[in-house]
Amino acid sequence: MTRSEENYLKAIFHLGNGEAGSISTNAIAEQMETKPSSVTDMAKKLAEKGLVHYKKYQGISLTDAGTRTALSIIRKHRLWEVFLVKKLDFTWDEVHEVAEQLEHIKSEKLIDKIDALLDFPKYDPHGDPIPTKDGKFMERDKQLLSEMPIHAQGVCVGVKDSSAPFLKFLDKNKIALGNTIKILDKEDFDQSLQIQMEGRELRISHQIASNLYVKKND
Amino acid sequence: MTRSEENYLKAIFHLGNGEAGSISTNAIAEQMETKPSSVTDMAKKLAEKGLVHYKKYQGISLTDAGTRTALSIIRKHRLWEVFLVKKLDFTWDEVHEVAEQLEHIKSEKLIDKIDALLDFPKYDPHGDPIPTKDGKFMERDKQLLSEMPIHAQGVCVGVKDSSAPFLKFLDKNKIALGNTIKILDKEDFDQSLQIQMEGRELRISHQIASNLYVKKND
DNA sequence: ATTAAAATTTAGACAAATCTAAAAATAGGT
DNA sequence: ACCTATTTTTAGATTTGTCTAAATTTTAAT
Ligand SMILES: [Mn+2]
Ligand SMILES: [Mn+2]
Ligand SMILES: [Mn+2]
Ligand SMILES: [Mn+2]
């Protein structure tokens, strides 16, 4: 497996949101920041290797083998992110770029030892679930803050947008995963929210609320 | 810098034993397990980038910039080796292969944090010195066991051959870095040595003795 | 059913890193 | 000084992953 092949499989997986379903050439090209013609070339190669299903003009989808490979890359990516935050004091906005490199290191022993060192974490610093060694996913029961009803209460458990600017914004406003959150008011005009978080009150735009995942209290 | 370029610089540095001096095309080809014609091609590219001095038929040598780059790769390689042994319980015969991959990860912050996590080690698991951030080398005052006089005493501080088979052999015979060692007798016939190590006595072939570095006691 | 727009594939090119085979330069022995 | 063996370079090909431009197929609107 080349690094490029691994990145394609990961992109296809992410575009399918974990589900099966066919992904378009253009969507993959955009995600990979490459051209559609390059995607077609790679689709043929991956199909040849039994990692994707590909029929001309019909889109691309992962085979079981392709899904397994994608999950193993994602597992490595997220474990490395946890490692960087927990053991090396990286902030959650710094880890992605480095994990993009580390996820391609080939050593089963290495990643298993990292997993053990971190005490087998279930989620990465952005709240995304870490697949187990055998590719099992533990997706959390969560919803976007923007989709929760007024007066609902919950715990921040993840971000939808994990770009550095958004994460830094959250830091600046002391919004962190694990914080409890309660919707005090919803503004009809701009759909901004008045919320209570860890004692204090603050106002949050719709854009922010639609990128924050919350686990509702029972 | 591509991974291949980095590997060439590292190979040239190692072949020069850290000193300046011109290295032959064939020597580099052998070290890199590639063909001389490939080395010539790379020599031109690296010369273009100011990393090596190269004149047709005159051999190849590192510029100051090339040396700095080589040292930074070696620094990363050796720090990762220490990390694998100290934090992840790898054995010293397992680390090299993985470090060959990890040494190419591009993140200054990452390697500095690993350095700090390890408490700024001076030597790697094979006794090789770890260059500082600014490329300073602390080569130890050591000599091959095979070149020490009879009755001399010292401490094992490194291996010349760090191949897995040799390292496993040392493990099996409980010969480890840090052990004290005393030469009891030298056999003229086959140049084997009778030594005392950590209480017990054992016989060591010349081949072994000429791959073990010892720091002589004052 | 036509047709225009969008998506996708093909054809041909290119850069990086490698190879083989052939040519050129160097080094060493007489 | 000459010849030969060795070393090194060149020329041309290959693989991987990418690109642009052109051709083809699909889609969706009339
Ligand atoms: Mn990430
Ligand atoms: Mn993440
Ligand atoms: Mn090593
Ligand atoms: Mn080493």
Side-chain angles (χ1 to χ4, degrees):
Chain A
M1 288 287 293
T2 68
R3 174 176 297 223
S4 186
E5 287 170 352
E6 291 183 347
N7 283 332
Y8 272 95
L9 293 178
K10 196 167 54 119
I12 297 165
F13 184 92
H14 279 137
L15 287 166
N17 274 122
E19 276 119 84
S22 219
I23 311 298
S24 79
T25 303
N26 273 1
I28 297 167
E30 190 175 349
Q31 171 90 7
M32 300 276 302
E33 299 184 68
T34 183
K35 302 291 167 182
S37 55
S38 305
V39 175
T40 301
D41 287 346
M42 185 56 84
K44 288 174 185 167
K45 196 198 312 183
L46 292 173
E48 194 67 40
K49 294 194 176 189
L51 295 165
V52 303
H53 299 293
Y54 172 63
K55 285 239 276 288
K56 270 195 203 183
Y57 298 101
Q58 301 308 126
I60 297 153
S61 62
L62 295 175
T63 62
D64 285 357
T67 303
R68 274 197 302 280
T69 307
L71 282 170
S72 111
I73 309 296
I74 290 165
R75 169 177 161 77
K76 288 193 276 181
H77 182 101
R78 292 180 180 167
L79 281 171
W80 279 115
E81 286 191 343
V82 176
F83 171 78
L84 293 172
V85 167
K86 296 283 186 196
K87 298 294 175 180
L88 301 186
D89 301 312
F90 276 60
T91 56
W92 67 342
D93 59 290
E94 294 173 321
V95 297
H96 181 76
E97 193 194 354
V98 183
E100 284 291 305
Q101 300 179 62
L102 287 163
E103 71 188 5
H104 300 291
I105 301 289
K106 280 161 187 63
S107 165
E108 202 175 320
K109 176 163 186 168
L110 174 59
I111 202 65
D112 289 346
K113 288 285 191 177
I114 290 282
D115 194 18
L117 180 72
L118 298 169
D119 215 12
F120 310 103
K122 298 224 173 1
Y123 300 97
D124 86 358
H126 313 103
D128 294 314
I130 299 174
T132 59
K133 218 162 130 67
D134 53 323
K136 295 272 183 300
F137 234 91
M138 358 256 289
E139 192 56 80
R140 201 157 9 195
D141 173 41
K142 71 193 179 190
Q143 62 190 126
L144 289 174
L145 177 55
S146 57
E147 288 167 358
M148 288 179 69
I150 193 165
H151 296 135
Q153 194 168 315
V155 179
C156 267
V157 295
V159 291
K160 186 170 172 202
D161 172 5
S162 55
S163 71
F166 181 55
L167 299 178
K168 280 179 177 150
F169 170 88
L170 295 179
D171 283 346
K172 202 166 58 188
N173 290 278
K174 303 223 192 316
I175 299 169
L177 301 197
N179 284 3
T180 60
I181 195 167
K182 180 172 182 181
I183 302 181
L184 300 177
D185 195 26
K186 287 187 146 187
E187 182 58 61
D188 276 349
F189 175 60
D190 64 354
Q191 295 170 79
S192 70
L193 304 178
Q194 186 72 16
I195 65 168
Q196 185 169 65
M197 171 170 280
E198 303 288 314
R200 69 199 201 287
E201 255 186 50
L202 60 163
R203 177 156 293 277
I204 266 182
S205 72
H206 178 71
Q207 233 225 295
I208 304 303
S210 62
N211 278 296
L212 259 184
Y213 285 117
V214 177
K215 181 174 187 291
K216 223 191 207 158
N217 287 354
D218 315 299
Chain B
M1 287 286 293
T2 68
R3 174 176 296 222
S4 186
E5 287 170 351
E6 292 184 345
N7 283 332
Y8 272 95
L9 294 177
K10 196 167 54 119
I12 296 166
F13 184 92
H14 280 136
L15 287 165
N17 274 122
E19 276 119 81
S22 217
I23 311 297
S24 80
T25 302
N26 272 1
I28 297 168
E30 191 175 349
Q31 171 89 8
M32 300 277 301
E33 300 185 67
T34 183
K35 301 292 169 184
S37 56
S38 305
V39 175
T40 300
D41 287 346
M42 185 56 84
K44 289 174 185 168
K45 198 199 309 189
L46 293 174
E48 195 66 41
K49 293 193 176 188
L51 296 165
V52 303
H53 299 293
Y54 171 64
K55 286 239 273 291
K56 270 195 202 181
Y57 297 101
Q58 301 307 127
I60 297 153
S61 63
L62 294 174
T63 62
D64 285 357
T67 303
R68 274 197 301 280
T69 307
L71 281 170
S72 110
I73 309 296
I74 290 165
R75 168 176 161 79
K76 287 193 277 181
H77 182 101
R78 292 180 180 167
L79 281 171
W80 279 114
E81 287 191 343
V82 176
F83 170 78
L84 294 172
V85 166
K86 296 280 186 198
K87 298 294 176 182
L88 301 187
D89 300 313
F90 275 61
T91 55
W92 67 341
D93 59 289
E94 294 174 319
V95 297
H96 180 76
E97 193 194 353
V98 183
E100 284 291 306
Q101 299 179 61
L102 288 164
E103 71 188 5
H104 301 291
I105 300 290
K106 280 162 187 62
S107 166
E108 201 174 321
K109 176 163 187 169
L110 174 58
I111 202 63
D112 289 347
K113 288 286 192 176
I114 290 282
D115 195 18
L117 181 72
L118 299 169
D119 214 12
F120 310 102
K122 297 226 176 357
Y123 300 97
D124 86 358
H126 313 101
D128 294 314
I130 298 173
T132 60
K133 218 162 131 68
D134 53 324
K136 295 272 184 300
F137 233 91
M138 356 257 287
E139 191 57 78
R140 200 155 10 191
D141 174 40
K142 70 191 179 190
Q143 61 189 127
L144 289 174
L145 177 57
S146 57
E147 286 168 359
M148 289 179 70
I150 193 164
H151 297 135
Q153 195 169 315
V155 179
C156 266
V157 295
V159 291
K160 186 172 172 202
D161 172 6
S162 56
S163 70
F166 181 55
L167 299 178
K168 278 180 178 151
F169 170 88
L170 295 179
D171 282 346
K172 202 166 57 188
N173 290 277
K174 303 224 193 315
I175 300 170
L177 300 198
N179 285 3
T180 61
I181 195 167
K182 182 175 181 179
I183 301 182
L184 300 176
D185 196 24
K186 287 188 145 187
E187 182 57 61
D188 275 349
F189 176 62
D190 64 352
Q191 295 171 76
S192 70
L193 303 178
Q194 186 73 14
I195 65 168
Q196 185 169 62
M197 170 170 279
E198 303 288 313
R200 69 198 202 287
E201 256 186 51
L202 61 162
R203 178 156 292 277
I204 265 181
S205 72
H206 179 71
Q207 233 225 295
I208 304 303
S210 62
N211 278 298
L212 260 184
Y213 285 116
V214 177
K215 182 174 186 290
K216 224 192 207 156
N217 286 355
D218 315 299

